[in-house]
């Protein structure tokens, strides 16, 4: 069964950058993959998506700042986050968008200070 491990989060000042990684223990080449985030008291939301052929989409609030990419040979999905804002503070996780989901990883915390 595919296991997901997110990493790369941390504490950063507004305007800073982070690159998140989502490493899968098995092949994910056939799957679209999404980055999600969930802030305290808020619903989980989709941040960015990437299809199996590499097409991407972003929620409006991160367009122009975030870039999702994938390296299928490494079974890894990335999220480059630039010009971070305090409202980006959340626990970030990745998964395929369809059911059954892969088991959720631990997520990686992104905290942006103002």
């Amino acid at each position: 069964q595919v296991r997901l491990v997110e990493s790369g989060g941390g504490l950063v000042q507004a305007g800073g950058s982070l690159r998140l990684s989502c490493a899968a223990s098995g092949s994910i080449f056939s799957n679209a993959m999404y980055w999600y985030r969930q802030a305290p008291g808020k619903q989980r939301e989709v941040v960015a998506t990437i299809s199996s052929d590499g097409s991407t989409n972003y929620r409006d609030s991160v367009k122009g700042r975030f870039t999702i990419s994938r390296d299928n040979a490494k079974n890894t999905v990335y999220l480059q986050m630039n010009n971070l804002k305090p409202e980006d503070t959340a626990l970030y996780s990745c998964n395929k968008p369809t059911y059954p989901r892969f088991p959720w990883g631990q997520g990686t915390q992104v905290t942006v200070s103002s």
Side-chain angles (χ1 to χ4, degrees):
Q1 190 170 31
V2 169
R3 306 292 181 180
L4 302 172
V5 178
E6 300 94 344
S7 62
L11 175 64
V12 66
Q13 292 184 341
S17 297
L18 289 169
R19 189 181 77 154
L20 308 184
S21 296
C22 171
S25 63
S27 178
I28 59 170
F29 72 89
S30 64
N31 298 110
M33 292 293 290
Y34 286 14
W35 278 101
Y36 303 85
R37 67 187 182 189
Q38 187 170 24
K42 299 184 69 176
Q43 295 294 310
R44 176 181 284 152
E45 63 185 19
V46 176
V47 179
T49 75
I50 187 164
S51 70
S52 60
D53 65 5
S55 61
T56 61
N57 289 99
Y58 304 89
R59 73 180 304 108
D60 286 346
S61 62
V62 309
K63 287 179 180 176
R65 300 189 297 119
F66 291 10
T67 303
I68 188 172
S69 61
R70 66 191 299 160
D71 185 339
N72 287 336
K74 296 182 178 180
N75 290 314
T76 301
V77 182
Y78 303 96
L79 186 67
Q80 178 67 47
M81 306 186 296
N82 298 325
N83 192 24
L84 283 160
K85 302 177 179 181
E87 51 263 44
D88 296 318
T89 295
L91 182 69
Y92 285 71
S93 58
C94 62
N95 215 322
K96 63 185 179 81
T98 55
Y99 290 91
R101 306 272 206 173
F102 297 132
W104 292 94
Q106 82 283 8
T108 187
Q109 178 67 37
V110 171
T111 302
V112 184
S113 62
S114 61

